[in-house]
Amino acid sequence: MPPKLRDVAERAGVSVKTVSNVVNGYVHVKDATRDRVQRAIDELGYRPNLTARSLRSGRSGVLALAVPELDVPYFAELARLVVETAADRGYTVVIDQTGGGREQEMVVLKGIRSHFVDGVLFSPLALSAADLRARTDRAPLVLLGERAPRGPDDHVGIDNVRAARDATEHLVAIGCRRIAAIGAQTGGPGATARQRLSGYRASLTEAGLPYDPDLVVPARSFHRADGFAAMAALLALPDPPDGVFCFNDPLALGALRCLATRGIRVPQDVAVVGFDDAEDGRYSTPSLSTIAPDKPTIATTAVDFLLARIDGTAPTGPRRTTAPHTLVPRESTDR
Amino acid sequence: MPPKLRDVAERAGVSVKTVSNVVNGYVHVKDATRDRVQRAIDELGYRPNLTARSLRSGRSGVLALAVPELDVPYFAELARLVVETAADRGYTVVIDQTGGGREQEMVVLKGIRSHFVDGVLFSPLALSAADLRARTDRAPLVLLGERAPRGPDDHVGIDNVRAARDATEHLVAIGCRRIAAIGAQTGGPGATARQRLSGYRASLTEAGLPYDPDLVVPARSFHRADGFAAMAALLALPDPPDGVFCFNDPLALGALRCLATRGIRVPQDVAVVGFDDAEDGRYSTPSLSTIAPDKPTIATTAVDFLLARIDGTAPTGPRRTTAPHTLVPRESTDR
DNA sequence: CTGAAAGCGCTTACAG
DNA sequence: CTGAAAGCGCTTACAG
């Protein structure tokens, strides 16, 4: 049996309350008492039982982070940053992989684990605004990624429409005239993809370029294999594109690979822009131009929003932050 | 206040014990009683308080996975597989990032959170065998990755020496005669790097090739940037290599990028092999030959070892498994 | 098959 | 500044 508060109290000759005060850094303890208690703690190797503390105090010191997939670079980086930020604030993070499906995401929303965590950071892919509004679980929640219009929850994201315009405008600026988009998701929610698509269209309009539905290729998921397949479909067109905007970096890296296998030169024949600024794209050949969301800001803001909800120091209404993004031009559009 | 067992019991007109029996799927409950209880649960929206359950039962249903970094592809994939496997078995996973430093790893070893998790899956980078043996925390532990010779703990890994030989032999087989190694870590523990280095040397000896210390480049960490820098150093040699074995895929992708920027052809001028079979290497240009550890087997075995320890169904002594690996030849050695 | 009661290890008013 | 006691919401022998 590991030692408990009571054992420490007996050894130090004080009450459990005093030990508890020492353990929790309560200030009004005489130095002599504190020393005596601390010595007993050290001698016994006492460590507080976090479960009991949590049951009694109603706080676990654990946050949940729910993301679609850990091995999509963007989510892996986000997870790292969230875990680091939370650790700075004295919190542990439980990671939940939803797979991006609605069913799994509803499980998160219903708070199956909410008795156990103090709050939830959630990056949903398939949920609708109605799903979010219908939530009954009362654990504090902060949404990442998609913009939930008029949703009831705190939210941290970027301006996807603006970012997609920036990416497309960049292709226009270097002389592309037939610009394709890879990653559209029309059926279902997929707010992110929809916003990026609408930014793409806005940019075409602005540039006086026609919108050609043939150049918009949907993707089931956002992996390299999907980007490869989409690029292959575009190349099979009678009039293939001279520029491609991919809705994330893995799609773009898959597209690059497809172009390489066909012997098509990037950026001379086809220019490519991705989205997310994954480390991969900095070392690919050619290196990948991309939209870089400010991930540290996203992670820090989200964690701090959540902790403020948990502490009750947050304002009543939902808080929303749009983190900045930047276009990072690299070789894949260098012409 | 969320409803508790007692509220459900009152509503259903039974004792809390009976509700508990229903909630926990205990079989000897009359169907009529079960239905009545279930209805009360549904009406109240009752969900068990996991913290209380855990305090009472001594089980939390939570496993910890401690890895150096989530955004190293190998660990991200491993994390995904571990989380999936654990979920299958009814467990949640807390992820701990150690950064790979000894201090942080000692924190894991000391079990700061062990009151809170049922067991720990740990992939250490900096710990020595002595550190491991000195551990006093009694939470079940399964080690991943390094081989801890005669350690007291369960362990799941691959044969790093053999795998490194396979990689190097492959380079020999395609005609390389000056083969470099990137990723050596001489000072400190770094068992993995040491094993891969020793496999590399064994293979050279076997092939009758001289060992040239100039061709062995250390790497502080195992990221693309390190691979890039190491390759640059190799190219500055008076007699640069014609083949490179990198101790992981990010190192190899960094090396590829360096070669591309110098206009050196891969595999014609320099052939490159990596290690881990990250998805990145399947879509790089050229695609990356690599050693593919059987990651699903590693994750499944590790989780099952741990659960057996937790259940007490494991044998007394340490269990060790060496998961298979395969060499995957791709364009970077296709000549 | 079901009930009454103790207790997991803490924290927190309440006293003093 | 410190102590005695209640209670967080469960599970689990112990009875019946």
Side-chain angles (χ1 to χ4, degrees):
Chain A
M1 289 301 294
K4 46 194 78 160
L5 216 47
R6 184 207 189 101
D7 300 323
V8 177
E10 276 171 17
R11 185 172 191 111
V14 299
S15 77
V16 294
K17 172 65 159 77
T18 303
V19 180
S20 176
N21 283 344
V22 172
V23 169
N24 294 294
Y26 187 61
V27 281
H28 296 302
V29 180
K30 245 193 300 194
D31 279 355
T33 312
R34 181 188 306 285
D35 290 349
R36 201 140 40 88
V37 170
Q38 191 56 55
R39 204 171 317 123
I41 288 175
D42 294 342
E43 284 165 7
L44 257 30
Y46 169 79
R47 287 199 321 266
N49 180 319
L50 269 25
T51 303
R53 175 181 287 176
S54 159
L55 175 60
R56 182 57 237 231
S57 67
R59 296 281 178 82
S60 63
V62 178
L63 308 179
L65 169 68
V67 292
E69 287 173 281
L70 277 178
D71 52 358
V72 168
Y74 177 77
F75 293 116
E77 292 184 37
L78 189 67
R80 179 174 58 75
L81 291 166
V82 164
V83 169
E84 284 173 3
T85 307
D88 275 354
R89 314 286 195 267
Y91 279 80
T92 306
V93 176
V94 185
I95 298 188
D96 235 348
Q97 281 187 118
T98 61
R102 182 161 179 282
E103 198 174 341
Q104 270 297 314
E105 295 193 341
M106 286 303 284
V107 169
V108 172
L109 212 56
K110 284 188 184 132
I112 299 305
R113 292 196 239 288
S114 69
H115 265 310
F116 162 68
V117 298
D118 294 341
V120 182
L121 255 21
F122 188 12
S123 178
L125 235 45
L127 293 182
S128 69
D131 290 333
L132 258 9
R133 269 191 298 273
R135 174 180 128 101
T136 59
D137 189 60
R138 72 251 104 216
L141 176 72
V142 172
L143 255 20
L144 295 169
E146 320 202 14
R147 168 103 109 301
R150 284 165 303 119
D153 302 297
D154 287 353
H155 175 265
V156 180
I158 61 162
D159 185 342
N160 274 304
V161 177
R162 181 70 254 179
R165 281 180 57 177
D166 293 347
T168 313
E169 276 170 17
H170 176 56
L171 290 170
V172 172
I174 62 168
C176 299
R177 287 301 169 263
R178 270 183 72 69
I179 300 173
I182 293 179
Q185 296 185 319
T186 43
T192 302
R194 231 183 357 255
Q195 286 162 13
R196 292 181 189 174
L197 185 59
S198 102
Y200 158 81
R201 293 194 64 161
S203 174
L204 292 186
T205 304
E206 196 181 357
L209 258 24
Y211 172 71
D212 179 353
D214 282 351
L215 292 180
V216 174
V217 189
R220 283 183 60 86
S221 67
F222 273 34
H223 296 106
R224 290 175 179 79
D226 304 294
F228 190 103
M231 193 69 234
L234 285 169
L235 293 176
L237 251 32
D239 189 6
D242 57 3
V244 186
F245 167 41
C246 300
F247 288 6
N248 82 351
D249 280 359
L251 287 174
L253 292 166
L256 284 185
R257 175 65 186 161
C258 179
L259 290 162
T261 59
R262 303 288 200 280
I264 297 172
R265 295 169 309 160
V266 178
Q268 297 86 339
D269 303 328
V270 178
V272 177
V273 181
F275 203 115
D276 282 348
D277 191 26
E279 203 203 19
D280 325 32
R282 295 203 272 279
Y283 288 87
S284 60
T285 298
S287 59
L288 179 64
S289 301
T290 191
I291 297 290
D294 183 344
K295 284 171 271 194
T297 295
I298 293 172
T300 311
T301 308
V303 169
D304 287 336
F305 274 13
L306 188 57
L307 295 186
R309 284 278 162 231
I310 292 169
D311 295 343
T313 57
T316 317
R319 301 164 91 182
R320 296 157 195 290
T321 287
T322 301
H325 66 264
T326 48
L327 172 77
V328 183
R330 297 201 188 101
E331 291 168 356
S332 68
T333 57
D334 185 20
R335 71 179 188 199
Chain B
M1 290 300 295
K4 46 194 79 159
L5 216 48
R6 183 206 189 101
D7 301 323
V8 176
E10 275 172 17
R11 183 170 192 112
V14 299
S15 77
V16 293
K17 171 65 157 81
T18 302
V19 180
S20 177
N21 283 342
V22 172
V23 170
N24 294 296
Y26 187 60
V27 281
H28 296 301
V29 180
K30 247 193 300 191
D31 279 355
T33 311
R34 181 187 306 283
D35 290 350
R36 201 140 40 86
V37 170
Q38 191 55 55
R39 204 170 317 122
I41 289 175
D42 294 342
E43 285 165 4
L44 257 28
Y46 169 78
R47 289 199 319 267
N49 180 320
L50 268 26
T51 304
R53 175 181 287 176
S54 161
L55 175 59
R56 183 56 238 231
S57 68
R59 296 279 179 84
S60 64
V62 179
L63 308 179
L65 170 67
V67 293
E69 287 174 280
L70 278 178
D71 51 359
V72 168
Y74 177 78
F75 293 116
E77 291 183 37
L78 189 67
R80 179 174 59 75
L81 292 166
V82 164
V83 169
E84 283 173 5
T85 307
D88 275 356
R89 313 285 196 270
Y91 279 80
T92 306
V93 176
V94 185
I95 300 189
D96 237 347
Q97 284 187 114
T98 62
R102 181 163 180 279
E103 197 175 343
Q104 269 298 313
E105 294 192 344
M106 286 303 284
V107 170
V108 171
L109 210 58
K110 284 187 183 134
I112 299 306
R113 294 195 237 291
S114 68
H115 266 307
F116 162 69
V117 299
D118 293 342
V120 182
L121 255 20
F122 189 11
S123 179
L125 234 46
L127 293 181
S128 69
D131 291 332
L132 259 9
R133 268 192 298 271
R135 175 179 126 102
T136 59
D137 188 60
R138 72 250 104 216
L141 175 72
V142 173
L143 255 20
L144 294 170
E146 321 200 15
R147 168 101 111 300
R150 284 165 302 118
D153 301 298
D154 287 353
H155 175 265
V156 180
I158 62 164
D159 186 341
N160 274 305
V161 178
R162 180 70 255 178
R165 281 180 58 176
D166 293 347
T168 314
E169 277 170 15
H170 176 56
L171 290 169
V172 172
I174 62 168
C176 298
R177 285 302 168 264
R178 268 183 75 69
I179 300 173
I182 293 179
Q185 298 184 318
T186 43
T192 303
R194 225 176 8 249
Q195 287 163 11
R196 292 182 188 172
L197 185 60
S198 102
Y200 158 82
R201 293 193 65 160
S203 174
L204 292 186
T205 304
E206 194 182 359
L209 259 24
Y211 171 73
D212 178 353
D214 283 350
L215 292 180
V216 174
V217 188
R220 280 182 62 85
S221 68
F222 273 34
H223 295 105
R224 288 174 179 82
D226 304 294
F228 190 103
M231 192 69 233
L234 286 169
L235 292 177
L237 250 31
D239 190 6
D242 57 3
V244 185
F245 167 42
C246 299
F247 288 6
N248 82 350
D249 279 359
L251 288 175
L253 292 166
L256 284 184
R257 175 64 187 161
C258 179
L259 291 162
T261 59
R262 302 287 199 281
I264 296 171
R265 295 168 310 161
V266 177
Q268 296 86 340
D269 304 328
V270 178
V272 177
V273 182
F275 203 114
D276 284 347
D277 191 26
E279 204 204 18
D280 327 31
R282 296 203 273 278
Y283 288 88
S284 61
T285 298
S287 59
L288 180 65
S289 300
T290 191
I291 296 289
D294 184 344
K295 284 170 270 193
T297 295
I298 292 171
T300 311
T301 308
V303 170
D304 287 337
F305 274 13
L306 188 56
L307 295 186
R309 284 279 162 229
I310 292 169
D311 295 344
T313 57
T316 318
R319 302 165 90 182
R320 297 158 196 287
T321 287
T322 301
H325 66 265
T326 48
L327 171 77
V328 182
R330 298 204 186 99
E331 292 167 359
S332 68
T333 57
D334 184 20
R335 72 181 189 198

